[in-house]
Amino acid sequence: MKQPQYLNRFEIRFSGLGGQGIITLGKIMGQGLALGHGYSVTQTQSYGPEARGGSSKCDLVISSDGISYPKAENLDLLVALSQEACNSYYPYLKQGGALVVESDLVRQVPTNKFLGLPFTALAKDRIGIPQAMNTIVLGALSHLLPFVQQRAMRKSLEEVLPARIREINTKAFNLGHRLAKKNWGDDAGAIWREDQTLGVEIKR
């Protein structure tokens, strides 16, 4: 089980195409971190003029204390679910930050230090619902982020979903968590503990 952690300021950007559930992903994770983990969280979002196919991004700033500035500018984690998003937002990733990509859609990664899974194909082939892709991402990040408790995040997910889609999305969440652990390693979140400038500390 992960240790409780103090966060000075941790910035996440979810980015991709309209229709990938970027905004929903950010809202669910933000709510889970605020209500399920007790962190202060701000969320900002933007998307292109097209509901589907246009660009979309959602930022979270997470802290154990109050947040003086709500917008993300120096990212600790960038989640890029399209090539355009990766190209546009990679320059905002701080040194030592982590890049997570949709490995089928982001073929030209600007660094050899990244983590990827074919989230879209997994949603289609393993879950049977392409729209569950963002929930698979949520499950994967619940393994990766050292301050996220899997059980608390899954509970928050189940609380916000309508009953008719709760079971399938719980399955998607568990799949993402399981495959991240298998492919990224048991302690993938150690990358942040190696650089305390990222604002993550373990409370012993």
Side-chain angles (χ1 to χ4, degrees):
M1 187 174 179
K2 297 176 183 176
Q3 299 277 352
Q5 300 199 16
Y6 173 84
L7 296 182
N8 179 28
R9 182 182 175 96
F10 195 93
E11 299 184 2
I12 302 174
R13 174 164 294 165
F14 304 102
S15 59
L17 302 173
Q20 289 182 313
I22 300 292
I23 306 301
T24 301
L25 172 59
K27 286 181 176 178
I28 292 176
M29 173 161 274
Q31 179 170 317
L33 289 168
L35 300 181
H37 294 71
Y39 290 115
S40 297
V41 181
T42 63
Q43 180 212 337
T44 55
Q45 63 194 48
S46 67
Y47 43 86
E50 299 179 7
R52 293 184 179 271
S55 60
S56 177
K57 73 179 176 75
C58 181
D59 294 346
L60 296 180
V61 176
I62 307 131
S63 177
S64 296
D65 304 315
I67 297 172
S68 58
Y69 184 69
K71 294 185 178 181
E73 294 183 325
N74 199 18
L75 306 176
D76 296 289
L77 171 63
L78 171 62
V79 180
L81 303 181
S82 72
Q83 186 68 58
E84 180 184 2
C86 188
N87 295 345
S88 297
Y89 301 126
Y90 179 73
Y92 296 91
L93 188 66
K94 68 170 61 171
Q95 184 177 2
L99 173 64
V100 172
V101 302
E102 209 291 3
S103 55
D104 284 344
L105 299 180
V106 182
R107 296 299 183 91
Q108 297 179 329
V109 186
T111 175
N112 59 3
K113 294 179 66 177
F114 69 95
L115 299 167
L117 282 173
F119 296 111
T120 307
L122 289 169
K124 292 178 180 177
D125 301 339
R126 302 282 291 274
I127 304 300
I129 300 177
Q131 293 83 355
M133 182 266 285
N134 59 348
T135 313
I136 298 176
V137 175
L138 182 67
L141 297 181
S142 295
H143 169 67
L144 174 64
L145 292 167
F147 51 85
V148 174
Q149 301 290 337
Q150 178 194 7
R151 183 177 299 176
M153 187 59 69
R154 184 171 56 225
K155 181 180 179 182
S156 295
L157 172 69
E158 292 170 347
E159 287 176 348
V160 301
L161 293 175
R164 59 185 175 82
I165 61 171
R166 192 173 298 147
E167 182 177 354
I168 196 72
N169 277 277
T170 299
K171 180 180 177 182
F173 178 92
N174 291 337
L175 175 67
H177 190 277
R178 184 168 66 251
L179 291 180
K181 185 175 182 179
K182 177 181 178 182
N183 290 277
W184 300 347
D186 286 341
D187 193 19
I191 55 176
W192 283 291
R193 293 200 297 275
E194 294 167 1
D195 185 351
Q196 291 300 312
T197 63
L198 295 179
V200 180
E201 300 175 15
I202 298 178
K203 279 189 174 179
R204 300 291 182 182

